[in-house]
Amino acid sequence: MSQVTRQEKPYDVCIIGSGAGGGTAAKVLTEGGLSVVMLEAGPVLNPEEDFQEHVWPYELPHRGADVGGRARHELNTEFMAPNGFWEIDGEPYTTAPGSSFRWFRSRIEGGRTNHWGRIALRFGPADFRAHSTDGMGDDWPITYQEIAPYYDKVESYVGVFGSKENIPNAPDGIFQPPPRPRCTETLVKKACDQLKIACIPSRMAILTEPLNGRQACHYCAQCGRGCLTASNFSSSQVMIPPAKATGRFTLIANAMARELVLGKNGKVEAVSYIDKTTGSEKRVRARAFVVAASACETARLLLNSRSASFSNGLANSSGVVGRYLTDSVGSHLSGYFPQFEKMPPHNHDGVGGMHLYMPWWKFGQKNDFLRGYHIEFGGGRNMPSVGEFDGVCARHEGYGVSLKQQCRTSYGATIGFSGRGEMIPNEKCFCEIDPTVVDQWGIPVLRFHWQWGENELKMAAHMQETFRSIIETAGGTVLTNPAPPSGSNTARVSQVSISEGGTIIHELGTVRMGNDPKTSVLNKNCQAHDVKNLFVADAAPFVTNPDKNPTLTIMALSWRTSDYLLDQAKKGNL
C-alpha cells in the first residue's frame, strides 16, 4: 500500500471545488478571518494563456473542430474557454440500461464558471414553496425572504445587468443598465408584444459599468471563450483573487478528491485526494469541510466516503444522497428570417449572449402542465463557429460558388429559440456508484438513471408551439434541422423535442436540504444533519429546479452558508 502524505496543522476550512459555490465560500470565509485550503481537480487558470477570447477560427489548427472533427456540434470545442468536457479520458461515468444522460465537467480553477452563459436569475417566492403551490414535490426549508439579502450581496459584488419589471415570481434585483436590443431582438420583441408574451432585458452577470476594479464589457460577444478583462463573471477571476489577497488562502491544484475521512468524534477530519501530477495519495486536515464539487461530483464523493458509521456513504443516514437528480427541461427551434438577408454589415456583437429574454408569462394561470419555463434566444451575425453552415450545406443543392453564395446570403438570418423549464423530481432520476467501473485512480464512478416525466414532455411540446408562433408572427420560417451524422452524440435526441438529460448542464438536487433528517441530507444552513462540520455549497442542496438558471442561487446559498459557518467558528463549534 502506498504511503499517504498528511500535513501537520489543520486549516480552519477545506473547500473542495473552485466554481461558483466554492469560490464564493473562499472569498467570504477568508475575508471573515479563517484559513482556507481549496482542492481543485484541474490546473491553475492563466487567462492570458488559456482563454481563446480574440482568437479567430483560422488561427486554430483545426478551426476549432479538433482532430478529425471530434468537437463538431459539441460544446467543448477548441474555440471555447478551457477544460470543459462531455467526456474526460480516464474519468468515465456510466448510464443504466434504458437511460440516456450526459455529464459536462470542468477540470480547472473556476470550474464551469469559465464558460457558463452568465444568465443570472433570482428564484421567485413561489419557487421555494412549490409543494404548497401545486402539491407536487417538496417545499424548501428556507423562503425567498431569507435568501433575498444574499441575492443582494452577490449581485452587488459580481455585477448583473437587468431592468425593474415587477413580474410575478421573477424578482427584480440590483441591476446595472442593460445593453440595448440588437436588430434581431427588436424583431422578436415586436412579435412577442403581439402574442402578449413578456420580452424584457436579460439579467446576466456581465458588467455594463466598471465595478470593483473590473472593466465594463467591450462587447466582443465572445464570453463563452473567457474574458481577459473579467468583465463577465467567473469564480477564477472574481471570487478567488480576493481570497488570495487575504493571505489566508491556499489552492491545491490537480487534486482529485477520493474520500472524506471520518474521525472518532463523528466529524470529518481530513479529505484524501490523488495528486494527479504524481499519482500519490495525500490528505488535508481541517476543522470544517465545504464540498462544492458540483451536484453530481459532490454526491459521488459522499457516496464513496464509506465507514463503519456510514456504510451507504457519508452523511447518508437518510439514503437520499444521489436522489432527486434534476436538469432543466430544454427544447430548441430555429427560424429563418429573409428580412435579414440583405442587412447591411454592421457591428452586431454586444454581450456574449442575449440582450432580451422571455420570463414565464403564464404564472398563476392554469396550463396543461405544472410550473413553467423561460425562453432564451439569439441570432445575427456572430463570429462563425464550428459547424456554423452545416445546416445550409445539408439543405442547399449544389457546391462551389453557389453554395458559398447561399452561405453568405443566409449568414445572420437565423434566430434560435431555447426553452428552459422546471423539472419535477422523480424517483427514476438519480445517480449511484457503479458497482464495477472505476476511474484511472481507482475511484468508483457514477452511474446515472434518467427518465423525463409526463409533465416535462408536455412542457417541451408547449415550448415548440410557442417558438413556432413567435417565428411565424415575426415573419420567419421554421427550420427543421437535419439529423446529425451517424455516431454523433447529438443524433440520439435530434428527432425529439426535449433535451437529453444533463445536456442543459443544470443538474442539481442530489444532496438536498430539508428540516427532516429522515428525508434530507442537509439542514437549512446546508450543514449535514449527520456530520456537523460538513457543508455543501453547490447545486446539490437544491430542493427544486425552477425555470431559472441556478448559478446565482448557488452563489447566494454559498454566501449564506459561509456566513453561518463563520458564526459557528466564532462560537467554537467547528
Side-chain angles (χ1 to χ4, degrees):
M1 174 181 274
S2 60
Q3 186 175 359
V4 178
T5 305
R6 302 173 176 84
Q7 104 277 2
E8 292 300 321
K9 182 181 178 181
Y11 293 89
D12 290 325
V13 182
C14 175
I15 301 173
I16 301 167
S18 63
T24 301
K27 167 187 159 53
V28 176
L29 295 173
T30 54
E31 291 182 343
L34 300 185
S35 63
V36 171
V37 61
M38 174 181 283
L39 303 189
E40 164 53 48
V44 172
L45 175 74
N46 183 339
E48 295 288 343
E49 296 181 1
D50 296 327
F51 286 166
Q52 303 288 328
E53 182 180 359
H54 292 143
V55 175
W56 289 92
Y58 57 77
E59 295 180 275
L60 293 168
H62 310 98
R63 301 197 179 191
D66 201 2
V67 178
R70 288 180 300 185
R72 206 169 191 85
H73 303 292
E74 291 289 347
L75 181 60
N76 51 309
T77 69
E78 295 173 314
F79 215 36
M80 295 294 287
N83 293 31
F85 306 98
W86 288 112
E87 310 293 339
I88 302 177
D89 291 341
E91 297 187 44
Y93 60 89
T94 66
T95 53
S99 294
S100 180
F101 188 90
R102 299 192 72 200
W103 186 17
F104 188 84
R105 292 166 290 173
S106 189
R107 297 286 189 258
I108 198 166
E109 179 187 358
R112 298 193 302 203
T113 65
N114 292 302
H115 30 58
W116 68 303
R118 274 91 190 179
I119 299 171
L121 306 175
R122 293 188 179 204
F123 289 6
D127 296 327
F128 294 92
R129 289 289 175 265
H131 178 79
S132 297
T133 301
D134 57 34
M136 291 293 291
D138 295 292
D139 290 342
W140 290 57
I142 60 173
T143 64
Y144 174 77
Q145 288 70 29
E146 290 176 272
I147 197 173
Y150 291 94
Y151 281 134
D152 291 350
K153 290 176 184 285
V154 173
E155 290 165 345
S156 298
Y157 183 72
V158 308
V160 175
F161 71 69
S163 58
K164 305 286 186 179
E165 301 288 344
N166 297 313
I167 294 176
N169 209 46
D172 296 326
I174 297 174
F175 295 135
Q176 292 194 343
R180 296 177 60 186
R182 294 164 285 207
C183 58
T184 49
E185 289 150 340
T186 300
L187 179 72
V188 172
K189 166 69 172 168
K190 291 179 179 177
C192 287
D193 288 346
Q194 293 182 50
L195 295 168
K196 298 186 178 349
I197 295 173
C199 186
I200 66 172
S202 299
R203 296 165 176 185
M204 302 184 72
I206 302 172
L207 300 185
T208 55
E209 296 178 339
L211 180 67
N212 297 328
R214 296 160 57 209
Q215 300 177 33
C217 177
H218 53 273
Y219 293 161
C220 74
Q222 301 299 303
C223 293
R225 305 170 63 203
C227 183
L228 291 175
T229 60
S231 303
N232 62 30
F233 172 83
S234 67
S235 173
S236 52
Q237 294 170 289
V238 180
M239 294 303 197
I240 294 178
K244 291 179 179 178
T246 66
R248 291 183 285 270
F249 178 78
T250 301
L251 175 65
I252 302 177
N254 296 302
M256 188 70 188
R258 174 195 290 277
E259 177 186 7
L260 291 164
V261 181
L262 196 67
K264 295 179 180 179
N265 60 358
K267 296 179 181 179
V268 180
E269 65 178 16
V271 58
S272 175
Y273 70 92
I274 304 299
D275 182 336
K276 293 165 69 173
T277 61
T278 65
S280 61
E281 184 170 351
K282 300 179 180 180
R283 284 188 179 183
V284 167
R285 296 167 58 224
R287 295 183 177 87
F289 292 80
V290 177
V291 186
S294 81
C296 297
E297 200 72 69
T298 290
R300 179 192 179 200
L301 179 60
L302 295 183
L303 290 170
N304 275 325
S305 300
R306 295 187 174 95
S307 64
S309 300
F310 296 102
S311 58
N312 294 320
L314 184 65
N316 194 25
S317 64
S318 63
V320 301
V321 173
R323 301 284 163 168
Y324 302 101
L325 172 64
T326 60
D327 187 21
S328 292
V329 179
S331 192
H332 181 83
L333 193 66
S334 294
Y336 185 79
F337 297 86
Q339 53 267 61
F340 291 129
E341 288 181 354
K342 299 180 180 180
M343 178 71 67
H346 63 287
N347 189 337
H348 189 90
D349 292 343
V351 305
M354 56 198 185
H355 287 193
L356 301 179
Y357 90 112
M358 293 80 114
W360 181 231
W361 64 98
K362 301 183 73 175
F363 177 77
Q365 302 179 26
K366 184 173 177 57
N367 306 294
D368 292 336
F369 52 88
L370 299 177
R371 318 290 167 84
Y373 61 90
H374 74 258
I375 302 174
E376 304 168 8
F377 70 99
R381 297 185 177 186
N382 300 313
M383 180 184 286
S385 58
V386 177
E388 178 85 14
F389 300 102
D390 283 2
V392 178
C393 294
R395 286 186 289 266
H396 180 71
E397 293 186 10
Y399 58 92
V401 173
S402 65
L403 179 58
K404 291 179 181 178
Q405 185 56 47
Q406 184 63 37
C407 289
R408 292 190 181 98
T409 299
S410 62
Y411 178 42
T414 299
I415 302 176
F417 298 82
S418 296
R420 298 290 181 262
E422 178 164 358
M423 175 187 177
I424 298 174
N426 70 67
E427 62 182 11
K428 297 181 179 179
C429 293
F430 61 96
C431 58
E432 62 182 352
I433 298 301
D434 190 290
T436 59
V437 181
V438 299
D439 66 16
Q440 62 181 311
W441 301 286
I443 306 173
V445 308
L446 284 181
R447 176 169 62 185
F448 290 95
H449 298 252
W450 189 264
Q451 182 174 314
W452 290 113
E454 188 65 27
N455 195 70
E456 289 77 49
L457 296 175
K458 290 180 179 178
M459 183 182 293
H462 189 275
M463 290 178 184
Q464 289 288 309
E465 294 173 5
T466 302
F467 301 156
R468 182 176 293 274
S469 296
I470 295 173
I471 291 169
E472 294 175 349
T473 301
T477 302
V478 173
L479 291 175
T480 301
N481 292 320
S486 177
S488 167
N489 285 325
T490 56
R492 292 170 291 182
V493 292
S494 62
Q495 301 302 316
V496 298
S497 63
I498 195 168
S499 56
E500 185 176 11
T503 56
I504 306 302
I505 318 181
H506 290 169
E507 69 278 3
L508 51 82
T510 55
V511 189
R512 59 162 37 192
M513 59 196 301
N515 292 321
D516 186 354
K518 295 180 180 179
T519 57
S520 61
V521 184
L522 311 170
N523 64 21
K524 65 185 298 182
N525 297 304
C526 295
Q527 177 185 32
H529 292 300
D530 298 336
V531 184
K532 297 306 179 184
N533 70 335
L534 174 64
F535 300 82
V536 177
D538 48 30
F542 287 30
V543 179
T544 58
N545 190 350
D547 63 297
K548 291 89 173 176
N549 305 46
T551 307
L552 187 71
T553 303
I554 291 173
M555 290 190 282
L557 269 181
S558 177
W559 202 311
R560 182 176 181 272
T561 297
S562 299
D563 272 358
Y564 173 78
L565 200 162
L566 279 172
D567 178 68
Q568 293 298 296
K570 291 175 183 177
K571 294 176 180 177
N573 292 336
L574 291 185

